[in-house]
Each structure stands twice: as structure tokens, then as C-alpha cells.
Amino acid sequence: MDKKNTRQYIFVTGGVLSGVGKGITAASIGATLRARGVSVSIQKCDPYLNVDAGTLNPAEHGECYVTKDGAETDLDLGHYERFLDIELTRESATLSGRLLLELIEAERAGKFLGRTVQLVPHLTSIIQDAISKSGAGSEVHIVEIGGTVGDYEGLAYIEAIREFAAQVGRENCQFVHVVYVPYLSASKEFKTKPAQNAIRDLRSFGIAPDIIVARTETEPKSDIAGKISLFGGVPTEAVVVLPNADTIYRVPLTLEESGIAELIADRFGRAGKETDMRQWQELVTRATSTHTKRVHIGIVAKYLDNEDTYFSVVEALRSAAWKEGVQLMYTWVSAERIEEEGTEQLREFDGILIPGGFGSRGIEGKIAAATFALENQVPYLGICLGLQMAVIAAARRGGIPDATSSEVDPTTSSDVVFIMPEQKGLEATGGTMRLGNYPAELKRGSLAESLYGASTIIERHRHRYEVNRRFEDAIIKGGLSISGESPSGKLVEFIEGTNHQFFIATQAHPEFTSRPQRPHPLFVGFIEAAILQK
Ligand code: GLN
């Protein structure tokens, strides 16, 4: 069989611990294949029983990443999009809960005609269908399995991919197992035993790994690849050690330099192709250069204990700073601390950013921060909730002292941010969220239009509440103009400060489409304004 006419699959599983960079490894493997001119698609299979990743607590799971077609997914999809510079769809985010729901609904609808419905073969075959569907159209499809091998919840996925390899031909599949190798400071050695056990676990499910990625905190001095190779039964050249990198964008280069990328290509009959890694070299140079010129951004938020919660926002800020050749410093500012201590602490920043958020905790602190930026000529970028906070700040200045959002106070009559009447009563159903791509028309001559360099734009959304245009006069009086609307003219998409050098906010989430090589114009404009602020 001509290998190139068959889709090929790379399955990325994890052992020992989760959260050691399996997603970045999967995305980086994809990047090295793309550098060889191979078309790549990618998918994450999550073992959670949730039907929707949108309901997972971001402080625990990291950011909820939204695709253009409105799927609420986890932050690995963000890595995939940034590393592969593609836009994914819901087909790339597979959750056990959704598959089980599909299975049970099919059973309820009588589709099984009274046969016994089982995890194997029924759930596994749904998983296999989801993999085939997600991979359609590409030469190599990468599938990352969430969690670690052996987790109860993930067993159906492991069985499904084992069978899948038998169906499409083992030679068209590679299994990459990402294991963690801890360092014991007492004896000053890396311990490969958990990795050996994790490889054995994978074998016990009938899968012999082709590639082992050993994640370590630091560069090991001893030959841990040799040890893993010996005890894991995988050739040494198929074991790569990936210590924590100075920037995640170095990982594709490390895979290339170690020879693993070429080995993976070779096993798919794709060796010896011209490989263009220039964009990664340039990106790493930019990302690791130090500059004497600095900008200091204050990010006012609710969750401060998990950097992953706003991963894409931070990546967008970083990429904009790389483009501008300045050193980015950012500080998480607790919105609740502003409520207790006031806005004086914001004086040290060259720019203030309020990212997306839900719920009423810390809201007054965020409104105070937006007011501070508006009144003190501090560059401001508001994202989603950050727009709503700015609008409330302006309405209060413009004569509605008790202006608020009905998300905070459902009974208020000063609902400057509210639920559109046609959506009232559906708040708890999840059905009212505006998710995914929506267009906006930008006002001629506005800051938004000049930053985008276009008057019609599309951005991803994830919100429920809208600006209540009944209060438009007060909002304008308070110092803002409405600079972007939905095509119907009904919804407010962008606002900006009228007498302000850089005060802009959007109801959308521009951070999701920002790319390390192509930072989003709103973030670039924000960093430029912050530089001028110095
Ligand atoms: N909680 C607000 C809403 O639902 C903002 C959402 C967000 O910032 N993503 O409209």
C-alpha cells in the first residue's frame, strides 16, 4: 500500500502525571510535520464525563478556549491553534460525556434494537468515528488523550485507539507516550522507575509505544534516555528528554535537534524532506531576547492562583511585546483587593487590562479599575467582562450612580449590562451563551477601525450579557463612544474612550485568534500605548 494515500495517525498518551506538557508536545510534533509540508489536523480526547468544557471551573482546569464554531474547549486547543496556526472546530474537542450522551440517546431512540449496549464495542466505536471525522482531509492526524494511561475514565479511549491502529494498519500509526521523570534532590538523581511503570501500563493495554518523551524539570546529566530505553524496550533514538524550556515555542526546535522529529517523519515514509524551521528560530529569538525598555501591565482579575486561567490573554500580551521589542512585565491585581484598598495600587502600571470573567465576585474592584484608567489617561484594554465594566464605569460617571449588570443584581432597574429580553429566563440553561464567531461593523474613523485596518471584522465570543442601549446617553456622557456594533446595529461590540489616548474594549475574545508570530492588533495597539505611557 502506498503510505501517502492513507491518513496516518499519531496518538499521544501520558504516564506518571498529567499536566506535564502533553498538549504542547502534541502541538510541537504537529509543527515539525508542517515544517516538512505535511498537512496536519489535531484533536484532544478528554476523559471527563462533562458534556461541555465550558462548565469546568477555570481555576482548576485552566482557560476555557472557544473555537470559531463556538465549542467551549480546554486550553490545549489554544496550544494547537497557536503552534499550528490553524482554526479548529468542535470536531477537535472530544469529551467522554458528550460521546456517552450520544450513545445513551441512540439506545433510548431504539437504535440498538434491544442488543446489549457496552463500553466495548459501542463507546469505543463512537470514539473511533470521532477520530476519523476529526482527521478528515489531513495527511497526518494527531490525537491527544487527556489524563494518564490507567485512569479509569480514560480506558475506553486507550482501547479505542488500540483497535483503531489494527483497523487502519499499525504502520500508519505511531504511539507517543509522554512520561514524567522526577528528580530527587536528596540523592541528586533522576528517577526513571515511574516512567518504566508507565510504559509497562501502556503495554498492558496492548499498545507498544513507538516514541517516549521524558519530561524533566531540568537538563539531566545522566543518561536517562538510555535507562528508559533499556527498561522500556524502546530504542534509544526513540527516546527524547524534554527538560522545561525557557519558552514553549522552543519545543518544536528541540524535537528537531534531537532527531525525534525526523524519526517520526521517517516512520511515516516522510523522511528527507526539506524542513523549514525558520519561523520557530525567529520566534524563539524574539521570545528569549531581553530588552531594557519595559512595559508593566496590571491584569485585574478574580482568579489569581492559576496562571493558566488566562493563558491566551498572557500569550497575546507576550507576542505583542515581542513584536514591539519591549520587555513585558505583568502583575495580577486582585479585584477584591482593589475593593478593600482602592485604586492607588494601579498607579505603577503603564496599562490596565480586564479580561473575561463570570459571576459577581470582585466586580466593584473591576469597575473601579476601569474608572481609574478612564479618568487618569491610563491605556486600557477590556475583554468581554472588561467591556461591561468600562460601560458601567462610564454610565456611573454619566449620571446613573447605581449602574450595574444584571449578572450581579438581577432585580436592578439600572441594568446597564443586561440579558436581552428574548433571552430572559433561560440564564441557567446554557442555551443563551453567545459562542463562537460573530461579525462586527466598526465605526469609520474609530480607534478600533484603525487598529484592525478594516471596518468589518469577525471575532470569537463567549458571553451572555449585553450592553443595554437604553442607557446609551449616560454611557456617552461618561466618556465612551460605541465604536463597533453587530451588523443589525443592535448589539454593542466595541467601545472606546472619547478623550483618551487608548481606552478600548470589546465584547469578544481577541486573545483566541492572536498568534505568536502574528499578535492581535488590539494587543499590539495596547502595548504601543503602554510604551508611550512610560
Ligand atoms: N459574564 C459576562 C457575560 O456573561 C462576561 C463573560 C466573559 O467575560 N466571557 O456576559
Side-chain angles (χ1 to χ4, degrees), residues 355-359 383-386 388 407 433 462-466 507 509:
F358 289 83
I383 295 174
C384 206
L385 185 68
Q388 299 172 356
E407 182 172 10
M433 274 272 223
R462 179 175 184 245
H463 67 115
R464 186 169 285 132
Y465 295 84
E466 303 286 350
Q507 193 60 78
H509 286 276

Short mmCIF file of all heavy atoms in Angstrom, two decimals, residues 355-359 383-386 388 407 433 462-466 507 509, ligand 1:
data_model
loop_
_atom_site.label_atom_id
_atom_site.label_comp_id
_atom_site.label_asym_id
_atom_site.label_seq_id
_atom_site.Cartn_x
_atom_site.Cartn_y
_atom_site.Cartn_z
N PRO A 355 -9.67 41.15 31.86
CA PRO A 355 -10.03 40.03 30.98
C PRO A 355 -11.47 39.58 31.23
O PRO A 355 -12.17 40.15 32.07
CB PRO A 355 -9.04 38.96 31.39
CG PRO A 355 -8.75 39.22 32.82
CD PRO A 355 -8.92 40.70 33.04
N GLY A 356 -11.88 38.53 30.54
CA GLY A 356 -13.22 37.97 30.70
C GLY A 356 -13.44 37.40 32.09
O GLY A 356 -12.48 37.14 32.82
N GLY A 357 -14.68 37.23 32.45
CA GLY A 357 -14.96 36.66 33.75
C GLY A 357 -16.46 36.48 33.95
O GLY A 357 -17.26 37.02 33.19
N PHE A 358 -16.79 35.70 34.96
CA PHE A 358 -18.20 35.41 35.25
C PHE A 358 -18.45 35.59 36.74
O PHE A 358 -17.53 35.44 37.55
CB PHE A 358 -18.54 33.97 34.85
CG PHE A 358 -18.57 33.79 33.35
CD1 PHE A 358 -17.39 33.57 32.64
CD2 PHE A 358 -19.76 33.87 32.66
CE1 PHE A 358 -17.41 33.42 31.26
CE2 PHE A 358 -19.80 33.73 31.28
CZ PHE A 358 -18.62 33.51 30.58
N GLY A 359 -19.69 35.88 37.08
CA GLY A 359 -20.06 35.97 38.48
C GLY A 359 -19.84 37.36 39.04
O GLY A 359 -19.32 38.25 38.34
N ILE A 383 -11.67 43.14 27.87
CA ILE A 383 -12.07 41.97 27.08
C ILE A 383 -13.35 41.41 27.69
O ILE A 383 -13.36 40.99 28.85
CB ILE A 383 -10.95 40.91 27.09
CG1 ILE A 383 -9.72 41.47 26.39
CG2 ILE A 383 -11.42 39.62 26.44
CD1 ILE A 383 -8.52 40.57 26.47
N CYS A 384 -14.41 41.42 26.90
CA CYS A 384 -15.70 40.83 27.31
C CYS A 384 -16.21 41.45 28.61
O CYS A 384 -16.75 42.54 28.59
CB CYS A 384 -15.58 39.31 27.36
SG CYS A 384 -17.18 38.53 27.10
N LEU A 385 -15.99 40.80 29.76
CA LEU A 385 -16.39 41.42 31.02
C LEU A 385 -15.70 42.78 31.17
O LEU A 385 -16.26 43.71 31.75
CB LEU A 385 -16.01 40.51 32.19
CG LEU A 385 -16.49 40.98 33.56
CD1 LEU A 385 -17.99 40.90 33.67
CD2 LEU A 385 -15.83 40.17 34.67
N GLY A 386 -14.50 42.90 30.61
CA GLY A 386 -13.75 44.16 30.65
C GLY A 386 -14.47 45.28 29.90
O GLY A 386 -14.31 46.46 30.23
N GLN A 388 -17.86 45.29 29.69
CA GLN A 388 -19.04 45.55 30.54
C GLN A 388 -18.67 46.44 31.73
O GLN A 388 -19.43 47.34 32.10
CB GLN A 388 -19.65 44.21 30.98
CG GLN A 388 -20.11 43.37 29.78
CD GLN A 388 -20.56 41.95 30.14
OE1 GLN A 388 -20.47 41.53 31.30
NE2 GLN A 388 -21.03 41.21 29.15
N GLU A 407 -26.13 40.55 35.86
CA GLU A 407 -25.42 39.34 36.30
C GLU A 407 -25.13 39.45 37.81
O GLU A 407 -25.09 38.45 38.52
CB GLU A 407 -24.11 39.18 35.52
CG GLU A 407 -23.33 37.92 35.88
CD GLU A 407 -22.13 37.66 34.98
OE1 GLU A 407 -21.76 38.55 34.19
OE2 GLU A 407 -21.55 36.57 35.08
N MET A 433 -25.85 31.48 25.88
CA MET A 433 -24.49 31.97 25.64
C MET A 433 -24.29 32.27 24.17
O MET A 433 -24.66 31.47 23.31
CB MET A 433 -23.48 30.89 26.04
CG MET A 433 -23.14 30.94 27.47
SD MET A 433 -21.79 32.03 27.80
CE MET A 433 -20.95 30.97 28.92
N ARG A 462 -17.88 34.68 23.84
CA ARG A 462 -18.37 33.75 24.87
C ARG A 462 -18.95 34.57 26.01
O ARG A 462 -18.28 34.91 26.98
CB ARG A 462 -17.22 32.90 25.41
CG ARG A 462 -17.67 31.94 26.51
CD ARG A 462 -16.54 31.02 26.95
NE ARG A 462 -17.00 30.07 27.92
CZ ARG A 462 -16.58 30.03 29.19
NH1 ARG A 462 -15.69 30.88 29.63
NH2 ARG A 462 -17.06 29.12 30.00
N HIS A 463 -20.19 34.96 25.86
CA HIS A 463 -20.82 35.77 26.90
C HIS A 463 -22.33 35.65 26.81
O HIS A 463 -22.88 35.13 25.85
CB HIS A 463 -20.39 37.24 26.76
CG HIS A 463 -20.91 37.88 25.51
ND1 HIS A 463 -21.80 38.90 25.50
CD2 HIS A 463 -20.66 37.60 24.22
CE1 HIS A 463 -22.08 39.24 24.26
NE2 HIS A 463 -21.41 38.48 23.46
N ARG A 464 -22.95 36.14 27.86
CA ARG A 464 -24.40 36.03 27.96
C ARG A 464 -25.04 37.41 28.03
O ARG A 464 -26.11 37.62 27.51
CB ARG A 464 -24.69 35.24 29.24
CG ARG A 464 -26.13 34.90 29.46
CD ARG A 464 -26.26 33.89 30.59
NE ARG A 464 -25.86 32.56 30.18
CZ ARG A 464 -25.03 31.76 30.85
NH1 ARG A 464 -24.47 32.18 31.97
NH2 ARG A 464 -24.74 30.56 30.41
N TYR A 465 -24.34 38.34 28.65
CA TYR A 465 -24.93 39.67 28.89
C TYR A 465 -24.51 40.65 27.80
O TYR A 465 -23.47 40.47 27.15
CB TYR A 465 -24.51 40.16 30.28
CG TYR A 465 -25.09 39.29 31.36
CD1 TYR A 465 -24.44 38.11 31.74
CD2 TYR A 465 -26.29 39.60 31.96
CE1 TYR A 465 -24.98 37.27 32.70
CE2 TYR A 465 -26.85 38.76 32.93
CZ TYR A 465 -26.18 37.60 33.30
OH TYR A 465 -26.74 36.78 34.24
N GLU A 466 -25.35 41.69 27.63
CA GLU A 466 -25.12 42.68 26.58
C GLU A 466 -25.24 44.08 27.16
O GLU A 466 -25.84 44.27 28.22
CB GLU A 466 -26.20 42.55 25.47
CG GLU A 466 -26.28 41.18 24.82
CD GLU A 466 -25.13 40.87 23.87
OE1 GLU A 466 -24.34 41.79 23.55
OE2 GLU A 466 -25.00 39.69 23.47
N GLN A 507 -16.54 43.21 23.25
CA GLN A 507 -17.37 42.16 23.85
C GLN A 507 -16.83 40.76 23.47
O GLN A 507 -17.21 39.76 24.03
CB GLN A 507 -18.82 42.36 23.37
CG GLN A 507 -19.85 41.56 24.09
CD GLN A 507 -19.91 41.86 25.59
OE1 GLN A 507 -20.46 42.85 26.02
NE2 GLN A 507 -19.31 41.00 26.38
N HIS A 509 -13.48 37.98 22.29
CA HIS A 509 -12.23 37.48 22.89
C HIS A 509 -11.12 37.45 21.84
O HIS A 509 -10.80 36.38 21.29
CB HIS A 509 -12.47 36.07 23.45
CG HIS A 509 -13.25 36.07 24.71
ND1 HIS A 509 -12.67 36.27 25.94
CD2 HIS A 509 -14.57 35.93 24.93
CE1 HIS A 509 -13.60 36.24 26.87
NE2 HIS A 509 -14.77 36.04 26.27
N1 GLN B 1 -20.06 37.31 32.48
C1 GLN B 1 -20.19 38.12 31.32
C2 GLN B 1 -21.27 37.63 30.38
O1 GLN B 1 -21.69 36.52 30.51
C3 GLN B 1 -18.85 38.23 30.59
C4 GLN B 1 -18.39 36.93 30.00
C5 GLN B 1 -16.94 36.94 29.64
O2 GLN B 1 -16.20 37.81 30.04
N2 GLN B 1 -16.50 35.95 28.90
O3 GLN B 1 -21.70 38.34 29.52
#
